[in-house]
């Protein structure tokens, strides 16, 4: 079993799609949304920013939303609840409770040791490394579907996960692969 006790992961961003199950008159909605922008010639929705929780919402007349910038699922739920209360205030009625679907979570982390990325790229399957184009190894996990960027410092970015559990599972798979090819050994060749 791979030891993940030294690995730290932190949520950097969560993106969710939301269905409010209501049609929206964006001309009325823009009047109640602080820190918002609506220019239908440029973009078909309202771009709204909340300070608490700190998120951005894209609001469409279909009642569909995209919420981004959240640091937790609770932030998304709070932002949607706040918007629903504001919309009720202008007479919007909802057919049912909002449906929130997490589309992507981005985590940053640290494996806690340095890596020779040339060695990693030559050893691991499902990875790409083009140092002239990008300074990290791009490691693709099929299940759960995620992409992990591994840098020589041992820092990682995990993207594409739909839950914290999936992100940890993807990181465990990377660590198992690194261990399998002897890349976690303390005596790894000098960088």
């Amino acid at each position: 079993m791979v030891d993940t006790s030294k690995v730290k992961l932190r949520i950097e961003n969560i993106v969710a799609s939301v269905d409010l199950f209501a049609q929206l008159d964006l001309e009325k909605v823009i009047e109640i949304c602080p820190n918002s922008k609506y220019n239908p010639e440029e973009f078909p929705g309202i771009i709204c920013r909340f300070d608490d929780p700190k998120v951005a919402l894209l609001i469409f007349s279909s009642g569909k939303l995209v919420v981004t910038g959240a640091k937790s699922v609770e932030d998304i739920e709070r932002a949607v609840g706040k918007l629903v209360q504001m919309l009720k205030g202008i007479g919007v009625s909802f057919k049912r409770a909002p449906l929130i679907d997490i589309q992507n979570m981005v985590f940053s982390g640290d494996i806690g040791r340095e890596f020779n990325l040339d060695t990693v790229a030559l050893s691991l399957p499902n990875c790409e490394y083009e140092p002239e184009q990008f300074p990290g190894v791009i490691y693709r996990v099929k299940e759960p579907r995620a992409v992990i960027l591994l840098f020589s410092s041992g820092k990682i970015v995990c993207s594409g996960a739909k839950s914290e559990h999936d992100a940890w599972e993807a990181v465990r798979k990377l660590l198992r692969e690194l261990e399998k090819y002897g890349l976690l050994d303390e005596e790894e060749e000098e960088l």
Side-chain angles (χ1 to χ4, degrees), residues 83-141:
L83 180 64
V84 164
Q85 288 309 310
M86 292 165 63
L87 293 171
K88 283 181 178 175
I90 59 166
V92 174
S93 60
F94 302 89
K95 295 182 182 103
R96 56 171 279 203
L99 177 65
I100 298 171
D101 186 19
I102 304 301
Q103 297 297 316
N104 183 26
M105 296 179 84
V106 178
F107 295 81
S108 64
D110 193 340
I111 292 178
R113 57 153 307 160
E114 293 185 349
F115 291 92
N116 177 327
L117 295 184
D118 289 315
T119 304
V120 170
L122 290 171
S123 304
L124 290 190
N126 305 318
C127 75
E128 301 167 33
Y129 182 48
E130 298 289 340
E132 304 82 24
Q133 294 175 18
F134 186 72
V137 168
I138 302 168
Y139 179 72
R140 298 185 189 285
V141 180

Side-chain angles (χ1 to χ4, degrees), residues 25 36 47 63 68-69 73 93 104 116 135 137 148 171 174-175 179:
D25 179 344
S36 298
I47 302 167
T68 186
V73 174
S93 60
N104 183 26
N116 177 327
V137 168
I148 299 176
V171 169
L174 170 63
L175 292 172
E179 186 177 68

